[in-house]
Amino acid sequence: MKVERAKLSWLERLYIPSILNGFKVTMRHFFSWKRSGVYADKQSDYSAKTTMQYPEEKWPVPTGYRGAPYLVKDVDDNTKCVSCQLCEFVCPPKAIRITPPGQGGEVDREGAEKMPKEFEINMLRCIYCGFCQEVCPEEAIFLLKDYAITGENREELIYDKEKLLSLGGADERAYDHHVQDGVDEGIKKWEKKTQDAQNQPTFH
Amino acid sequence: MPEFITELLNNHAWLMVAIKVLGVFAVVMPMVAYSVVAERRISAFIQDRVGPNRVGIPFTKIKLLGLGQPLADGLKSFLKEDFTPGHVKRVFYWMAPAVSMIPSFVVFAVIPFGSVLGAQKMVIADLNVGILFTFGIVSLGVYGVVLAGYASNSKYPFLGGIRSSAQMISYEIAMGMAVVPVFMLAADPTWREGLPAESEWNAYLDGTGLLNLSSVVAYQSDGLFSWLIFKQPIAFCIFLIAIFAETNRLPFDLPESETELVAGYNTEYSSMRFALFFMGEYAAMIAGSALMVVLFCGGWTLPIDGFNTPAQSLGMGVLHILVFIGKIAVFLGLMIWVRWMLPRFRYDQLMNIGWKRFLPLSLANIILTAIVLWATA
Amino acid sequence: MAAKDSKPAVETVTVKVDGRPVEVPRMTPNWEGKPEPTTVLQACKQAGIEIPHYCYHPKLPVSGNCRMCLVHVAMPGRPGPDGKPPMNEDGTPKVFPMQLPYEPQTPRGVIGCATGIIPGMEIYASSPETKEMREAVMESLLINHPLDCPICDQAGECKLQEYSYDHGQPESQFQEFKVHKPKAIDLGPRITLDAERCVLCTRCIRFTKDIAGDDALGIVNRGSYNEISTYPGEAFDNNYTLNTVDICPVGALTSNDFRFQMRVWFLKETKSLCTGCGTGCNTTIGSRENKMYRYEPRQNDAVNSDWMCDSGRLDYKWIGREDRLAKLKGPKGVSTWPSALKAISDHLAGVEKGTVAIVASARQTNEELFLLSRLAKHLGATTDSVARKGKADHLLLAEDRNCNTTGAQLAGITTKRVGSKLSSIAKEISAGKVKTLIVFGEDVTKHGIDAKLLKKVTLIVSDILPSATTKAADYLLPGCAHAEKRGTFTNVKGRVQKFMKALEPPGDALPEWEVLHELVHNVTGLDEFRSIEGLFNCMAGEVKAFKDAELTWAGLGDLGANVKL
């Protein structure tokens, strides 16, 4: 198919109106301070341009995003992990390494039987598959929203238990998950168990 | 000023010249650096971006709107590996960046960037044939590019070099022709003779020829509409566009045209050598702007009392220099702005415009000016 | 095959398992080895069908309390007045599925572990009725179970877990509160009890009473509050307590030594032997990433049945000790195996006959002792070993605490009176007759050859852990623990058994047989094999007892073979 070019008028062939128009368009953009697009509703100290000031501003992460796996605590600030090592077992790249407590290992509260002596995730190896979260019987490890894991050397990127727990924080999701009939059940497992044990009748 | 210094300067004229050279260099180099930042920031804003806004004062958290960026860029250029590909013609390859940068700076030698500071005229070399010298030097700029294209010994730089030489030669003709009417007006001996004998200008221009650039400035000091941009708008337009072409700026950046030639003549260059090309380009932009200011926009003068005659005091002298720099900045801004507005020409269009539009137009302009001059004489 | 035919004919019974006729012996030995009527569970096992069970254990008396082995069966009818059993119309004997007497048509199960078979019986091991019974039993066993598998050490080798998956229901119908029982009770010095996890199978009680002979455990409280307990104030501390951990089908009894150390599914299992005494209990080493975590007894009815003693089981910590010898040492310029072996070979090749003495260890393998005896024969050396005696017990622990004294005697390293020549060696050293002393795996300073004497000789020592002797050594050759090499031991009763390599030796350490092989080759020219298999077969051709028993490495199998002493 042959497309006929539009015949330009004498003025148009001078291009001067087009050039002036160009000045106008670029000038308008130069002074555009109104937010546009996905950041229209975001508060920021920076200019109104579309550029995202990356480390300070971050992409809004969609629901279900699989970021870095961290250990979470329950709403009473108790460590949930019991060192069952299923995540270590299931981890395809062998990024997780748990040191079990051994006999008489320390626990952070009364009634708890077992928690890891050391829990390390090598963020360089992690592939964010989420198997650890899926396999965890205690809902103690979750893939949270963090996606830019950086460090200055390899050792720094092996996160230990303290770091994982502080990054994970208290887990609200697991909390909601366990609220049944308006009573929070599973999350205060140890408290509930102690309560039950005290309440039961005895026939000794 | 202590006696011995005055004596020293009086006895050794070259010392004063050296000081001026250093002074010009000290102003032009930061201008080059910051015109790069300006380029990046303005382009970003036109594209609804922010541009480099992070680098501020080193080792502090102060960001200063990214004004520390040239430091970072320069440091990076110095620290990067200076890589010479195995297939290049070494001597020419090493020479090319210098050859491309030096002419841009040499142009500043004849440009009157101010009136006077004390007893010194603010021009490094007050040549009688300033404009001819300028054209001579500007046409050397092409050698750097051609040399780089040739020495790189690879196809993209080669094509870039070829395009560049053709382009620069073509537009130099139009540029030269465009300037002729300017001097038909400004180098009018009757005008120089008509200057009052006791005026500051007469003393200032004493002993200079008619093609002296200060003379052109003096010609334009008689009110806003004595600026040649108003008297010779066609010449100005052609000159402006030719300067774009000479400095390889969009829409005439065919020697580089990254979509076709990767990076044109500097494809094979890296680190500081590449930075030299880069600096040369921006220095050429500043030199071109300075020429436009001198030839068409009244140089360091403003149509205000005190600014339209050579300075009587040191302060006024400095203000004149600032006015000159300000005018240059306006032209730099225009050049940057245009870059993000107009698309690149096709090569045949480029040649068409140069030879078939601007050359006849500038010739017609000369004739028209001659007719007008003849009729009004 | 001929040997099998010569056995007396076994009386057999034919039953149907899942509709398939199976011929099984009428009698089967019970836990004491006495013949008893074959049970439904054993018959099904011979038919290749596993009946789930908790309380039944082939080496323990039958108790029949867990009810997990419930199966639905059908019995042939009793003979009628005519003396003939009831027949179907097609002439086959009629069978009557077991039913509840008060609710006809409702199937009734029998416990497979305690029900003997009769001819013509039909066992429905995988019928819907049987499955329903198992589901019900599983559900009731799980009523009070805490379901804390993530914490429990038994997870991964837990019968409750396995049967839950195979025979359980996805959900419990139990709505009431679970009974909470004490957790983490110190039952004895080596055992921790979690009463909540217990399914009250009483295996531990029966083992302790009937096998270990220490009636220490019992069940206290009633109904749902049943729990395992020792007599108040008494500790469960006989030398066989850890076997209860092995036989506990759930995680109620856990070993303090292994508690929360490693999940069992990470452990690599390697067939090995216990080196604690001359009995040579068969074991399985559980190791992960070159760290040994536990010993478990491995069934060998000729040696240790299913059991092993606590002292032997916990005798492995030295293998991974920090101060293990891992660096080869020698005089100046000798720091690698090639240089050391060359220097020692040159030295031994140059010595006068009779100026060498060898003290070997009765904890070395048959192969190493054989090579040492070859070396001794060539050099005309006096050899001996060191005796270790302890108190024997009634079950497994032997008086001889060296694991291979018999092997040392068979190889000719020592005599019936182990260690009797040590004093004469000491005398010969002080007299200057013996100028080179080779010591393998023993600290001779504790056995009559003191450090002063050691200075008089060229001392070549191979050992695993540092001692006064290794300190005085001119050549120190780091050796391997049994878990780090392959080889064979001969136990006090003359059973030759082999063990496999589970771990990598630390640092320079090399299996002693490899080192000795090269030395013996350099000195005597012995060159008949390249591998431990070849070495064993070479030894079996020369040592008389082994030759008589026609031993080969492959022929030993996992369980070993007897030689005549």
Side-chain angles (χ1 to χ4, degrees):
Chain A
M1 198 173 80
K2 200 168 177 183
V3 179
E4 285 292 326
R5 278 183 189 276
K7 191 91 179 144
L8 297 182
S9 71
W10 180 83
L11 192 64
E12 282 169 335
R13 279 170 60 205
L14 268 185
Y15 291 105
I16 287 167
S18 311
I19 289 171
L20 291 179
N21 211 25
F23 277 112
K24 208 175 87 193
V25 169
T26 45
M27 187 60 85
R28 197 178 70 224
H29 278 275
F30 188 92
F31 289 109
S32 75
W33 297 97
K34 235 170 82 182
R35 277 200 172 277
S36 58
V38 287
Y39 302 106
D41 54 335
K42 275 201 79 184
Q43 298 286 322
S44 167
D45 296 336
Y46 287 89
S47 76
K49 300 295 186 179
T50 49
T51 308
M52 188 174 64
Q53 295 299 321
Y54 169 62
E56 293 89 7
E57 293 178 340
K58 288 202 166 177
W59 279 95
V61 176
T63 332
Y65 180 83
R66 300 199 306 251
Y70 294 144
L71 290 177
V72 297
K73 292 182 164 186
D74 69 12
V75 288
D76 294 334
D77 206 31
N78 293 326
T79 306
K80 293 173 85 182
C81 177
V82 297
S83 180
C84 76
Q85 296 181 281
L86 278 174
C87 50
E88 184 180 1
F89 183 67
V90 81
C91 184
K94 298 195 190 299
I96 300 178
R97 179 143 204 106
I98 298 171
T99 311
Q103 167 79 329
E106 274 180 39
V107 288
D108 65 357
R109 63 180 174 279
E110 206 179 327
E113 225 180 323
K114 188 185 179 191
M115 51 192 52
K117 190 168 165 193
E118 189 46 83
F119 193 116
E120 289 176 349
I121 301 182
N122 187 341
M123 292 297 173
L124 292 166
R125 299 198 73 139
C126 179
I127 57 170
Y128 308 100
C129 62
F131 282 10
C132 49
Q133 174 180 339
E134 198 171 317
V135 82
C136 184
E138 300 288 331
E139 297 186 338
I141 190 166
F142 280 93
L143 270 73
L144 298 182
K145 306 277 184 192
D146 285 12
Y147 53 82
I149 311 295
T150 54
E152 288 178 359
N153 52 49
R154 284 171 181 275
E155 288 68 38
E156 205 176 289
L157 286 166
I158 300 174
Y159 287 12
D160 63 6
K161 186 170 88 167
E162 275 65 42
K163 187 159 188 180
L164 290 168
L165 281 169
S166 66
L167 286 169
D171 179 40
E172 295 296 328
R173 271 190 302 172
Y175 180 65
D176 294 340
H177 182 72
H178 275 285
V179 172
Q180 286 167 359
D181 308 326
V183 184
D184 49 341
E185 294 235 327
I187 193 78
K188 296 183 176 179
K189 190 170 115 183
W190 294 107
E191 196 179 305
K192 185 173 171 293
K193 272 179 123 43
T194 320
Q195 203 68 41
D196 283 359
Q198 282 165 0
N199 290 346
Q200 74 183 4
T202 47
F203 303 96
H204 294 180
Chain B
M1 210 180 280
E3 276 297 310
F4 75 96
I5 296 182
T6 327
E7 207 167 300
L8 201 67
L9 290 176
N10 287 342
N11 292 341
H12 301 279
W14 62 269
L15 260 178
M16 207 58 226
V17 174
I19 289 168
K20 282 188 208 164
V21 168
L22 285 178
V24 168
F25 210 70
V27 173
V28 172
M29 285 310 282
M31 276 179 82
V32 168
Y34 280 95
S35 56
V36 176
V37 178
E39 171 103 54
R40 293 175 66 181
R41 289 287 259 172
I42 290 170
S43 68
F45 269 67
I46 286 172
Q47 293 166 349
D48 291 338
R49 295 186 286 113
V50 176
N53 62 350
R54 300 241 160 207
V55 188
I57 299 168
F59 308 114
T60 62
K61 301 243 167 196
I62 304 162
K63 285 183 178 173
L64 277 183
L65 299 165
L67 289 179
Q69 191 66 36
L71 270 178
D73 288 351
L75 195 66
K76 190 189 95 165
S77 293
F78 272 112
L79 293 181
K80 282 182 93 166
E81 185 190 352
D82 185 10
F83 183 76
T84 306
H87 54 75
V88 299
K89 297 178 168 55
R90 287 181 176 249
V91 175
F92 299 127
Y93 179 84
W94 291 335
M95 260 165 61
V99 171
S100 108
M101 192 170 140
I102 288 167
S104 312
F105 282 95
V106 171
V107 171
F108 289 104
V110 295
I111 287 175
F113 50 87
S115 55
V116 285
L117 274 181
Q120 285 295 329
K121 279 176 101 173
M122 285 297 102
V123 53
I124 295 168
D126 199 14
L127 291 188
N128 281 337
V129 286
I131 190 67
L132 294 181
F133 174 84
T134 311
F135 279 102
I137 293 301
V138 165
S139 57
L140 285 181
V142 71
Y143 285 111
V145 176
V146 171
L147 212 54
Y150 166 70
S152 290
N153 196 14
S154 95
K155 53 187 174 256
Y156 295 124
F158 180 66
L159 285 172
I162 286 182
R163 282 185 178 190
S164 184
S165 50
Q167 173 183 332
M168 285 186 163
I169 289 163
S170 309
Y171 278 77
E172 229 158 70
I173 293 165
M175 187 166 83
M177 290 300 155
V179 176
V180 170
V182 170
F183 284 89
M184 287 167 78
L185 296 175
D188 183 359
T190 54
W191 165 75
R192 276 287 285 271
E193 283 156 16
L195 278 175
E198 70 280 7
S199 76
E200 291 109 346
W201 279 115
N202 214 354
Y204 185 73
L205 295 176
D206 186 35
T208 59
L210 288 169
L211 292 181
N212 181 286
L213 287 172
S214 295
S215 174
V216 181
V217 175
Y219 180 81
Q220 299 179 80
S221 63
D222 191 16
L224 181 65
F225 289 97
S226 68
W227 286 12
L228 285 160
I229 185 173
F230 299 109
K231 291 186 170 176
Q232 283 293 346
I234 296 171
F236 171 73
C237 285
I238 296 171
F239 191 83
L240 176 71
I241 292 163
I243 286 289
F244 271 98
E246 287 290 307
T247 53
N248 296 328
R249 297 285 300 178
L250 265 168
F252 301 102
D253 72 335
L254 281 100
E256 284 186 31
S257 62
E258 63 284 305
T259 42
E260 301 155 36
L261 299 182
V262 188
Y265 58 88
N266 54 31
T267 304
E268 305 284 356
Y269 284 86
S270 62
S271 81
M272 206 53 213
R273 277 184 228 286
F274 172 76
L276 282 178
F277 275 119
F278 211 69
M279 281 154 63
E281 186 190 324
Y282 281 84
M285 272 169 71
I286 295 169
S289 301
L291 268 179
M292 274 188 285
V293 171
V294 168
L295 293 178
F296 293 98
C297 296
W300 45 265
T301 67
L302 281 176
I304 305 167
D305 269 350
F307 283 95
N308 57 2
T309 49
Q312 304 299 319
S313 61
L314 219 60
M316 277 315 282
V318 173
L319 278 179
H320 287 164
I321 294 173
L322 290 178
V323 166
F324 188 75
I325 292 173
K327 286 181 178 176
I328 289 179
V330 170
F331 275 105
L332 285 177
L334 179 77
M335 289 172 115
I336 291 167
W337 185 4
V338 167
R339 176 168 182 184
W340 304 104
M341 190 176 79
L342 296 178
R344 183 183 303 127
F345 283 115
R346 222 164 51 212
Y347 199 71
D348 60 321
Q349 293 172 330
L350 174 98
M351 282 295 157
N352 254 339
I353 295 169
W355 289 102
K356 288 156 88 175
R357 300 286 186 280
F358 288 156
L359 187 57
L361 199 60
S362 54
L363 287 172
N365 194 28
I366 292 170
I367 292 164
L368 186 72
T369 310
I371 292 170
V372 171
L373 278 178
W374 175 70
T376 55
Chain C
M1 293 312 284
K4 233 178 193 177
D5 288 339
S6 66
K7 277 186 182 169
V10 178
E11 190 185 351
T12 60
V13 166
T14 303
V15 295
K16 269 189 177 174
V17 179
D18 282 343
R20 185 158 53 90
V22 182
E23 198 178 305
V24 293
R26 202 174 75 80
M27 303 297 270
T28 307
N30 72 353
W31 66 283
E32 291 171 305
K34 293 174 190 156
E36 267 184 12
T38 303
T39 61
V40 169
L41 192 145
Q42 287 161 341
C44 287
K45 191 172 182 183
Q46 288 191 34
I49 291 169
E50 183 78 16
I51 304 285
H53 55 272
Y54 293 112
C55 69
Y56 170 75
H57 189 284
K59 298 290 168 61
L60 294 175
V62 171
S63 121
N65 59 38
C66 75
R67 320 308 286 178
M68 192 61 210
C69 59
L70 276 182
V71 282
H72 190 217
V73 298
M75 297 290 191
R78 293 205 182 106
D82 53 355
K84 284 181 186 163
M87 291 291 184
N88 288 324
E89 280 168 19
D90 57 2
T92 51
K94 201 172 179 182
V95 291
F96 298 90
M98 303 272 278
Q99 291 177 353
L100 289 182
Y102 43 87
E103 256 179 273
Q105 309 305 317
T106 306
R108 172 182 173 228
V110 299
I111 49 172
C113 65
T115 307
I117 51 165
I118 57 170
M121 191 174 181
E122 289 191 9
I123 303 167
Y124 308 122
S126 34
S127 70
E129 291 82 5
T130 306
K131 280 184 180 160
E132 208 180 320
M133 290 171 198
R134 286 176 190 160
E135 279 178 13
V137 172
M138 270 315 297
E139 197 181 342
S140 76
L141 283 174
L142 286 170
I143 278 179
N144 287 329
H145 191 83
L147 298 173
D148 55 352
C149 304
I151 294 171
C152 181
D153 272 328
Q154 189 80 359
E157 51 185 11
C158 174
K159 287 287 172 203
L160 200 58
Q161 245 180 1
E162 288 167 21
Y163 292 161
S164 256
Y165 279 105
D166 293 346
H167 310 293
Q169 291 171 316
E171 275 180 39
S172 173
Q173 302 169 57
F174 188 68
Q175 297 289 328
E176 294 77 9
F177 281 123
K178 285 178 185 252
V179 173
H180 290 282
K181 297 181 191 175
K183 294 178 87 76
I185 313 159
D186 274 341
L187 212 56
R190 294 177 286 278
I191 302 274
T192 299
L193 166 70
D194 189 313
E196 280 189 338
R197 294 178 190 152
C198 180
V199 293
L200 300 161
C201 70
T202 71
R203 274 185 181 187
C204 49
I205 297 173
R206 282 174 282 148
F207 171 81
T208 320
K209 178 166 173 265
D210 297 325
I211 309 284
D214 172 21
D215 195 358
L217 297 176
I219 289 185
V220 295
N221 298 337
R222 299 182 63 191
S224 283
Y225 298 90
N226 269 181
E227 58 187 75
I228 302 287
S229 174
T230 54
Y231 189 80
E234 290 287 316
F236 178 44
D237 61 354
N238 65 55
N239 199 22
Y240 290 90
T241 56
L242 286 170
N243 289 305
T244 61
V245 176
D246 294 335
I247 55 173
C248 183
V250 294
L253 296 174
T254 49
S255 157
N256 285 355
D257 180 57
F258 185 63
R259 190 171 164 86
F260 301 158
Q261 293 292 350
M262 188 45 64
R263 307 299 282 177
V264 296
W265 52 76
F266 286 118
L267 297 182
K268 180 181 79 173
E269 300 203 320
T270 312
K271 287 171 180 143
S272 187
L273 296 174
C274 174
T275 56
C277 73
T279 305
C281 291
N282 289 216
T283 61
T284 304
I285 289 176
S287 62
R288 185 191 183 204
E289 291 178 358
N290 225 31
K291 183 176 184 322
M292 182 168 164
Y293 284 94
R294 68 174 179 185
Y295 263 139
E296 278 196 308
R298 174 162 59 95
Q299 187 177 353
N300 186 346
D301 291 344
V303 180
N304 59 324
S305 186
D306 266 351
W307 325 117
M308 75 186 289
C309 69
D310 291 2
S311 49
R313 189 194 294 251
L314 299 178
D315 181 26
Y316 68 87
K317 307 267 180 187
W318 55 274
I319 293 173
R321 240 163 72 176
E322 286 293 315
D323 59 346
R324 273 286 298 275
L325 296 175
K327 189 97 191 69
L328 183 127
K329 281 175 199 149
K332 210 168 172 338
V334 177
S335 59
T336 59
W337 278 110
S339 58
L341 288 173
K342 184 166 188 310
I344 297 171
S345 306
D346 290 350
H347 175 78
L348 292 179
V351 297
E352 234 176 280
K353 254 195 173 214
T355 62
V356 178
I358 297 176
V359 179
S361 172
R363 290 174 162 180
Q364 285 181 271
T365 66
N366 290 330
E367 293 78 7
E368 289 155 16
L369 292 164
F370 165 70
L371 286 169
L372 276 172
S373 74
R374 281 295 289 254
L375 197 63
K377 210 173 179 186
H378 184 82
L379 298 170
T382 324
T383 62
D384 205 350
S385 184
V386 171
R388 284 186 185 77
K389 296 282 178 201
K391 219 171 152 242
D393 72 0
H394 63 288
L395 199 55
L396 290 174
L397 198 60
E399 188 191 3
D400 181 5
R401 294 294 155 84
N402 279 329
C403 56
N404 199 21
T405 308
T406 317
Q409 286 160 350
L410 290 177
I413 290 288
T414 183
T415 57
K416 285 281 169 207
R417 292 176 57 237
V418 181
S420 56
K421 285 190 212 153
L422 286 174
S423 54
S424 67
I425 290 175
K427 264 181 220 150
E428 282 175 358
I429 291 173
S430 61
K433 198 183 161 218
V434 166
K435 295 199 178 71
T436 303
L437 180 63
I438 301 173
V439 180
F440 266 75
E442 295 289 357
D443 183 6
V444 290
T445 55
K446 287 182 183 160
H447 303 285
I449 306 174
D450 58 27
K452 260 187 234 155
L453 289 177
L454 290 179
K455 278 188 190 138
K456 291 184 144 190
V457 294
T458 305
L459 185 60
I460 300 161
V461 180
S462 166
D463 210 334
I464 294 164
L465 295 167
S467 67
T469 309
T470 61
K471 223 176 268 175
D474 294 311
Y475 294 94
L476 176 59
L477 315 173
C480 287
H482 67 291
E484 292 158 0
K485 63 188 176 191
R486 292 191 293 165
T488 58
F489 289 141
T490 312
N491 81 355
V492 286
K493 288 176 183 160
R495 193 172 184 86
V496 182
Q497 306 181 101
K498 69 183 174 195
F499 55 87
M500 296 296 162
K501 175 178 172 174
L503 311 168
E504 285 300 323
D508 289 342
L510 273 186
E512 289 90 334
W513 76 265
E514 288 182 18
V515 178
L516 279 169
H517 175 208
E518 191 156 336
L519 271 184
V520 171
H521 170 70
N522 290 348
V523 177
T524 71
L526 175 76
D527 187 15
E528 291 174 26
F529 49 84
R530 292 285 177 276
S531 61
I532 186 83
E533 292 88 346
L535 170 55
F536 182 86
N537 294 342
C538 170
M539 173 181 70
E542 293 195 18
V543 177
K544 189 174 176 301
F546 295 167
K547 202 175 182 177
D548 292 345
E550 294 177 355
L551 292 186
T552 58
W553 175 269
L556 288 181
D558 288 339
L559 301 178
N562 285 325
V563 296
K564 214 166 174 191
L565 294 181

